[in-house]
Every structure is written in C-alpha cells, then in structure tokens.
Amino acid sequence: MTSYSLFLLPGDGIGPEVMVEVEKVIGVFEADGSARFDLDHGLVGGSAYDAHGVPISDADMAKAQAADAVLLAAVGGPKWDGVPYEVRPENGLLRLRKDMQLYANLRPAICYPALADASSLKRELIDGLDLVIVRELTGGVYFGEPKQIIDLGNGQKRGIDTQVYDTYEIERIGRVAFELARQRDHRLVSSEKRNVMLSGVLWNEVITALGKRDYPDVALEHHLADSLGMQLVRRPKQFDVIVTDNLFGDMLSDVAAMLTGSIGMLPSASLGDVDPRTGRRKALYEPVHGSAPDIAGRGLANPIAMIGSLAMAMRYTFDRADLADRIEAAIAGVLAKGLRTADIKGDAATHISTSEMGDAIVAELTA
Ligand code: IPM
Ligand code: MG
C-alpha cells in the first residue's frame, strides 16, 4: 500500500491542541488498515519565529513543497504583536500560499442540522445551508506591489496596498469555480466592487467571458461584494458557489462560516495547479478559524474544523472519498449524539473538551 505523505504544521494558539486530535484519526485509519501515512511535523507562525527567527524556515518550506499535502492548524497571537512586519506569524502562512502557488481556496459553509440552533440566524434561514466560497488566494491586495508605508516628510506618513489582478489569475480561479459549480448545482455567483474598482471591472469582464466561452451550462450572476455580504446574512440559502478575490473572500468566508453556528466547524482547502510530476494538485488544508490565543491550552477549542480538513485532504488530494465520508459521518454522528465543545454548546448545560471531542470522533469511527 502506498503511504500518504502529510506535512503537519500545528502552528500557534489552539493549533497544536487540534492537530493532536487529527493524529488520533490518522491513527484509526492506520490501525484498521484503511491507509498508510508518512507524517512529518514542522513549525509555522510564531512558534517558527521563536525557534528560527522567521515564520517558516526554508527547510520546512521544502518539506511542504515535497509532501503530498500540508495540514496547517493556525498561526498568530498577541505574543508576536511586536515582531517586525516581514516576520510576523501570518507571513509564514502567506509564504506557503504564495510559494506553493495555492491560488484556489475552497471554503465550504455547511450547516449541520444538529447545530442549526447555534447560529445567530433563525433556524429556518440556515438549516440545510450548503455553499462554497472559492477565494482567490495568491493575488490581489494581499500581495500587490507597491506595499509600503512611506514617510512624506511633513509629519505625515502614507500607507499603501495595491489591489492588482491579471487576466490569467482571474481566469484560473474562475475555472476552479465553474468546474465546482458543474459538480454541484450549475450556478455561480461572482463578486467584486466594479462600481469603484477597476480591478473589479476586469474581474467581471474575465469571468463573464469565461462563462460564455467555456461554461454556458452554468448560470452566472454578479453581485457587488457589499451587497453579497448583506444577502449572505439575509437569505444565505440562495447561494451555492461564490467566487471572489482574496480580500473579499477573506471577509465573506468568515461571515459564511459564522452562519453555520461556529467558525470552529469549517475546514478549507487551498489548491494549486496539477503538478505534472505527481499528477496531484499542490495542496494545503486548514481550518477557517484562527489560533484563538484567548482560549489556547484550556481544552476549549473545537477540533472538528481541523479533523474536517483531513477529510478534505482525503477527498481532494488522495481521491479517498471513502475515508472522507467516514470522517464526515463520524462528525455528524457525535453531533447527533448531542456532544458539544464549548463554542457550539448553545444553551446546553455541559460541554466536552477538545480531546474528548477527538476521542468521541475516534469512537464513532471505530464503532
Ligand atoms: C484566513 C486568515 C488569514 C488571511 C490571515 C491569518 C493571514 O484570516 O486564512 O482567512 O487573511 O488570509
Ligand atoms: Mg480570514
């Protein structure tokens, strides 16, 4: 049996706690002979900064490039607020995305029926919600140049970020979104701010032309990003696949995630082009949530998004829908039994810890 090479980057805050729970699930598959894994561990974010003075070392970068898939938990925290901007923890994650050319970030927002009451919206608005935000991840204002603070010499400074998109970047993320729409409901919403941004005008043109030319079977709609944010909290179930740029995707995916009751529930996949050498897309899987330093080390974190990220890796990188389905069924199973971590406990009197949730998912998998 070939073994799946996974490079694990637990990172900071609650990252290491939730990664431990993923390793338990991997242990189940190894023990029952479903798969073999070749695991390696590295440092990213503040933990890498503390060890090496950079938020990811070149050696770990090389391991990430070589692995079949990277699993990353979370980076950042107040401990590193004062470190120089270039080596802040988030830059480790940004370097992984950029150097591995992971331009397509798939962020599903699925509302588990058992959790519909944990949402801040009324149950009927989100029960059965199932949408995916396809976020462009290696361009736009995150990486555009110039990006600097300049001293104007008159007691004033100027902060500059640049929103920039080339045709090819819009086209390749558009393709990922159209293809996904084809596997789902043949509907795609594209979002930008063409009413104030020329990059938005180009985005709109390129997506429209691509749809006409190659995906006439997919119904394409355009929403301005602000109005899309409004619609997402007003009537989220109208959406199926949404494609948008790096910054709008960052914001809208947090909104969509929270609709489902907790940001602690949702995994994401960041994919690059198919590597001709391996036939696989470069890939990094991570929860949508951050490092939550305020609750780190207290057993309060929800490991479901991290474990769901392993499910996405099984599905997209290893073509093991069987194992992905098993993980997702186990997650649904523990939720249906009423087991809740603190973030999703709602009005319940008690909740279980991070490791108890991991153990419950393992028990469900081995039942
Ligand atoms: C995300 C995060 C990151 C981003 C941060 C940690 C750099 O918010 O993955 O959504 O802004 O992309
Ligand atoms: Mg974000």
Side-chain angles (χ1 to χ4, degrees):
M1 201 192 295
T2 54
S3 53
Y4 303 146
S5 82
L6 286 180
F7 187 46
L8 307 185
L9 292 168
D12 309 322
I14 60 170
E17 296 162 59
V18 295
M19 192 63 90
V20 167
E21 305 310 313
V22 166
E23 293 201 58
K24 289 181 185 169
V25 172
I26 290 172
V28 170
F29 293 150
E30 294 229 310
D32 70 12
S34 307
R36 284 228 323 260
F37 292 86
D38 179 1
L39 300 183
D40 199 355
H41 299 77
L43 295 174
V44 67
S47 56
Y49 176 80
D50 289 345
H52 307 298
V54 287
I56 185 160
S57 67
D58 290 345
D60 279 350
M61 224 20 258
K63 287 182 180 178
Q65 294 274 16
D68 292 335
V70 178
L71 285 190
L72 182 144
V75 296
K79 179 177 175 200
W80 302 282
D81 276 351
V83 309
Y85 189 75
E86 306 71 50
V87 291
R88 72 197 188 287
E90 288 75 10
N91 226 22
L93 178 56
L94 296 179
R95 180 172 175 203
L96 281 160
R97 290 174 179 171
K98 192 70 179 175
D99 287 10
M100 293 172 72
Q101 275 295 299
L102 305 171
Y103 60 83
N105 185 208
L106 274 46
R107 299 193 157 184
I110 294 166
C111 183
Y112 290 84
L115 287 187
D117 291 320
S119 174
S120 49
L121 298 194
K122 296 189 200 86
R123 173 180 269 275
E124 63 267 26
L125 288 179
I126 46 98
D127 196 6
L129 176 78
D130 178 0
L131 62 82
V132 185
I133 296 188
V134 179
R135 168 189 177 194
E136 199 291 325
L137 202 59
T138 51
V141 75
Y142 273 58
F143 296 98
E145 296 284 347
K147 188 178 196 67
Q148 60 188 158
I149 297 178
I150 49 179
D151 198 329
L152 298 177
N154 57 355
Q156 294 286 304
K157 290 181 180 175
R158 179 174 294 157
I160 305 171
D161 293 283
T162 305
Q163 164 81 350
V164 48
Y165 273 108
D166 291 357
T167 306
Y168 81 95
E169 295 177 285
I170 305 169
E171 237 174 54
R172 68 182 179 181
I173 190 70
R175 269 190 202 289
V176 171
F178 276 113
E179 296 288 340
L180 186 65
R182 261 193 184 152
Q183 291 166 22
R184 294 173 53 107
D185 204 27
H186 290 77
R187 296 187 286 131
L188 177 63
V189 165
S190 169
S191 186
E192 28 57 23
K193 281 278 292 176
R194 67 186 176 284
N195 53 348
V196 285
M197 297 164 77
L198 285 170
S199 57
V201 171
L202 183 68
W203 182 283
N204 184 283
E205 273 174 25
V206 172
I207 297 284
T208 302
L210 180 64
K212 278 219 176 81
R213 195 172 69 232
D214 292 343
Y215 303 92
D217 53 317
V218 175
L220 174 65
E221 264 181 46
H222 302 276
H223 284 238
L224 295 174
D226 54 345
S227 146
L228 179 62
M230 190 260 289
Q231 288 296 334
L232 264 178
V233 293
R234 194 172 87 108
R235 220 160 48 79
K237 283 195 270 184
Q238 68 183 288
F239 298 110
D240 191 56
V241 181
I242 295 169
V243 63
T244 189
D245 78 8
N246 204 342
L247 183 63
F248 294 140
D250 180 45
M251 298 170 56
L252 294 170
S253 63
D254 266 23
V255 173
M258 200 60 216
L259 294 176
T260 69
S262 168
I263 199 164
M265 299 293 300
L266 298 173
S268 82
S270 304
L271 306 174
D273 273 326
V274 176
D275 180 343
R277 208 170 36 87
T278 61
R280 289 201 171 104
R281 282 181 188 272
K282 286 245 182 282
L284 179 148
Y285 299 88
E286 60 174 318
V288 173
H289 66 68
S291 60
D294 51 321
I295 61 163
R298 295 163 52 199
L300 291 173
N302 184 346
I304 290 181
M306 189 72 243
I307 293 173
S309 300
L310 176 68
M312 284 189 99
M314 290 297 116
R315 193 180 301 283
Y316 292 112
T317 291
F318 301 112
D319 214 10
R320 291 294 302 268
D322 60 324
L323 298 184
D325 289 346
R326 271 180 72 192
I327 296 173
E328 285 160 6
I331 292 171
V334 297
L335 293 174
K337 289 200 166 106
L339 298 172
R340 301 282 185 272
T341 42
D343 56 313
I344 50 174
K345 94 178 176 58
D347 298 331
T350 57
H351 61 86
I352 59 173
S353 70
T354 311
S355 67
E356 286 166 335
M357 180 56 92
D359 291 343
I361 291 171
V362 164
E364 197 74 21
L365 278 169
T366 50

